[in-house]
């Protein structure tokens, strides 16, 4: 029998209060935090300011935060700052790098508190924490979804040898109201809104890729952090809006290599604002074309058993990107180099994790 693995926390001590950072990329004042105050105020925020570094970003009083703009990024990373995107929300991954906490939750500044079908406000952060602290089931699909939630279990026929589950590395949340559509779908369905609240959390099976959205996402930084690089996007790059997709494909093949779990489903946030589909199309059009080659590449990636850490896996992945995707476009040669720079910068700022994030026996499952 699967047992619920997260007990209720006393109201005075929020779950993982001292073990989790909230990372927010932004170009504007963070008034949206007022709505999140009951849920976010106990936690430390890392704000990554994109765009003009001379602009003053206002943060509501009472929040514990640190704010980094482009000048700060350049000062901290020096020449290696070239791996951090500019004028794109991909800059958020700098926050992952400078954090010293075990867990990260990242959210966009146009995401508000959603309500469940009963009208109760959803504490998205709490649900993400529950997802991360409970095991995943990547090796065999449970038809009642997450067997560790209250009121459910493993179904008949589920192997007992797999019921212990696997550590969860990533919790991918969803959105009510404005769905995360690409530009062509936005143009065809300009008025479509997501009103379906599906009360489910499921593990994405091993060997299956997924489109990861970065606007409502949590992960175990110690397990998968070095692979959570959002690539080269935005200013000076031929592509945008594929930062989280790229990271999602990379982390999934690495999680599969180590036998780690990736969950999707609850929690929901309320995505308040639709971005301009014509602007999006300009950013996405190369990605829409390239992804028909990117997906088969990631589906066929094989990481050797010598890759015993996330960093080693990511450096191996960068080699394969250069070897196999460099012929698609020279952009991927630049991206492969940036992947190496990212790992070098990560290890400089996090020397204690340079050999971490590996299985206890040092080999992949």
């Amino acid at each position: 029998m699967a047992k619920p693995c997260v007990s209720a926390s006393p109201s005075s001590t929020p779950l993982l209060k001292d073990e989790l950072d909230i990372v927010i990329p932004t170009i504007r004042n963070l008034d949206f935090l007022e709505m999140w105050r009951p849920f976010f105020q106990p936690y430390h925020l890392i704000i990554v300011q994109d765009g003009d570094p001379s602009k003053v970003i206002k943060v509501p009083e009472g929040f514990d935060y640190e704010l980094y703009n482009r000048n700060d990024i350049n000062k901290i990373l020096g020449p290696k700052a070239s791996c951090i995107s500019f004028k794109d929300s991909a800059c958020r991954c700098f926050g992952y790098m400078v954090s010293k906490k075990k867990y990260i939750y990242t959210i966009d500044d146009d995401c508000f508190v959603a309500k469940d079908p009963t009208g109760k406000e959803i504490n998205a952060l709490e649900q993400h924490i529950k997802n991360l602290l409970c095991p995943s089931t990547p090796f065999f699909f449970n038809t009642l979804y997450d067997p560790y939630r209250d009121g459910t279990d493993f179904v008949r026929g589920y192997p007992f040898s797999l019921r212990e589950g696997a550590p969860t590395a990533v919790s991918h949340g969803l959105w009510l109201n404005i769905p995360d559509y690409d530009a062509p779908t936005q143009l065809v369905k300009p008025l479509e809104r997501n009103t379906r609240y599906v009360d489910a959390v499921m593990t994405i099976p091993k060997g299956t890729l997924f489109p990861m959205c970065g606007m409502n996402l949590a992960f175990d930084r110690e397990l998968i952090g070095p692979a959570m690089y959002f690539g080269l996007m935005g200013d000076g790059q031929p592509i945008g809006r594929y930062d989280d997709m790229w990271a999602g494909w990379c982390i999934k093949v690495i999680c599969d290599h180590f036998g780690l779990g990736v969950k999707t489903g609850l929690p929901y946030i309320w995505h308040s604002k639709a971005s301009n589909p014509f602007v999006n199309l300009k950013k996405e059009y190369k990605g829409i074309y390239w992804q028909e080659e990117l997906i088969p590449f990631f589906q066929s990636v094989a990481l050797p058993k010598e890759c015993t850490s996330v960093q080693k896996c990511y450096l191996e992945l960068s080699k394969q990107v250069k070897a196999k995707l460099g012929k698609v476009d020279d952009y991927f040669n630049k991206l492969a180099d940036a992947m190496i720079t990212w790992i070098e910068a990560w290890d400089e700022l996090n020397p204690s994790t340079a050999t971490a994030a590996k299985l206890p026996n040092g080999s992949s499952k």
Side-chain angles (χ1 to χ4, degrees):
M1 176 181 292
K3 297 179 180 178
C5 48
V6 181
S7 53
S9 174
S11 58
S12 58
T13 53
L15 288 169
L16 303 182
K17 176 182 177 295
D18 299 317
E19 299 179 69
L20 181 144
D21 279 333
I22 299 173
V23 174
I24 305 169
T26 193
I27 58 171
R28 58 181 64 87
N29 294 336
L30 295 179
D31 300 327
F32 92 114
L33 285 173
E34 286 294 353
M35 179 177 281
W36 287 102
R37 187 181 291 276
F39 307 130
F40 287 2
Q41 190 163 0
Y43 296 87
H44 179 68
L45 312 182
I46 297 178
I47 300 163
V48 184
Q49 178 181 343
D50 198 16
D52 182 3
S54 67
K55 180 179 178 180
V56 177
I57 298 292
K58 295 181 180 178
V59 181
E61 290 186 8
F63 285 93
D64 173 35
Y65 71 93
E66 52 192 297
L67 187 150
Y68 298 93
N69 61 31
R70 192 69 203 189
N71 293 339
D72 300 316
I73 294 172
N74 291 338
K75 183 177 180 181
I76 292 169
L77 295 184
K80 293 184 175 65
S82 61
C83 72
I84 304 298
S85 298
F86 183 56
K87 294 186 179 178
D88 193 280
S89 64
C91 67
R92 78 178 78 220
C93 61
F94 177 77
Y96 311 160
M97 182 186 287
V98 296
S99 171
K100 302 303 177 187
K101 305 290 178 63
K102 177 173 170 57
Y103 299 98
I104 295 287
Y105 174 53
T106 185
I107 184 172
D108 284 5
D109 59 14
D110 62 350
C111 294
F112 300 157
V113 178
K115 293 182 179 180
D116 69 17
T118 70
K120 181 182 178 183
E121 290 192 335
I122 298 167
N123 184 345
L125 179 54
E126 182 180 60
Q127 180 64 51
H128 274 298
I129 291 171
K130 289 178 179 178
N131 291 348
L132 290 171
L133 294 182
C134 289
S136 294
T137 54
F139 306 114
F140 201 89
F141 189 79
N142 191 54
T143 51
L144 278 181
Y145 310 122
D146 188 348
Y148 305 101
R149 290 185 71 193
D150 287 332
T152 188
D153 213 312
F154 291 101
V155 297
R156 180 171 57 89
Y158 199 99
F160 282 86
S161 59
L162 295 176
R163 295 191 181 194
E164 184 179 340
T168 301
V170 178
S171 172
H172 177 257
L174 299 175
W175 349 267
L176 293 173
N177 195 38
I178 306 294
D180 187 31
Y181 285 163
D182 53 38
T185 308
Q186 280 184 296
L187 288 166
V188 174
K189 298 181 171 183
L191 301 180
E192 184 155 289
R193 300 294 181 263
N194 182 33
T195 59
R196 295 177 65 241
Y197 180 93
V198 180
D199 187 12
V201 178
M202 63 187 74
T203 300
I204 300 170
K206 182 178 181 180
T208 300
L209 296 175
F210 76 112
M212 187 177 83
C213 173
M215 69 172 127
N216 177 27
L217 178 73
F219 60 93
D220 185 323
R221 188 174 171 278
E222 292 182 1
L223 284 180
I224 200 64
M228 210 42 104
Y229 174 48
F230 275 46
L232 290 177
M233 302 284 153
D235 193 50
Q237 307 301 334
I239 186 175
R241 284 174 56 82
Y242 271 84
D243 51 333
D244 42 9
M245 299 295 127
W246 180 262
W249 297 328
C250 291
I251 63 97
K252 189 57 169 66
V253 297
I254 293 174
C255 283
D256 286 352
H257 177 73
F258 286 122
L260 301 172
V262 177
K263 293 180 179 179
T264 188
L266 301 181
Y268 284 91
I269 50 82
W270 181 269
H271 186 207
S272 66
K273 188 177 70 174
S275 48
N276 187 311
F278 296 100
V279 174
N280 290 347
L281 185 60
K282 186 177 180 180
K283 294 178 179 179
E284 290 175 3
Y285 80 95
K286 284 185 179 290
I288 292 170
Y289 174 71
W290 287 340
Q291 72 183 14
E292 301 306 319
E293 299 201 46
L294 298 182
I295 300 301
F297 165 76
F298 281 102
Q299 288 174 328
S300 63
V301 161
L303 297 172
K305 63 181 181 179
E306 290 77 21
C307 291
T308 55
S309 71
V310 173
Q311 284 92 326
K312 289 179 180 178
C313 287
Y314 206 69
L315 292 174
E316 171 62 26
L317 203 52
S318 73
K319 293 179 186 176
Q320 296 190 30
V321 167
K322 179 165 280 193
K324 298 180 181 179
L325 295 179
K327 61 187 178 184
V328 174
D329 192 274
D330 188 52
Y331 165 76
F332 292 101
N333 290 318
K334 297 176 185 175
L335 179 55
D337 290 339
M339 293 167 71
I340 297 171
T341 303
W342 161 264
I343 291 297
E344 290 173 350
W346 182 284
D347 285 348
E348 282 184 13
L349 293 183
N350 302 276
S352 64
T353 68
T355 56
K358 61 184 180 181
L359 293 177
N361 63 2
S363 63
S364 66
K365 288 187 178 180

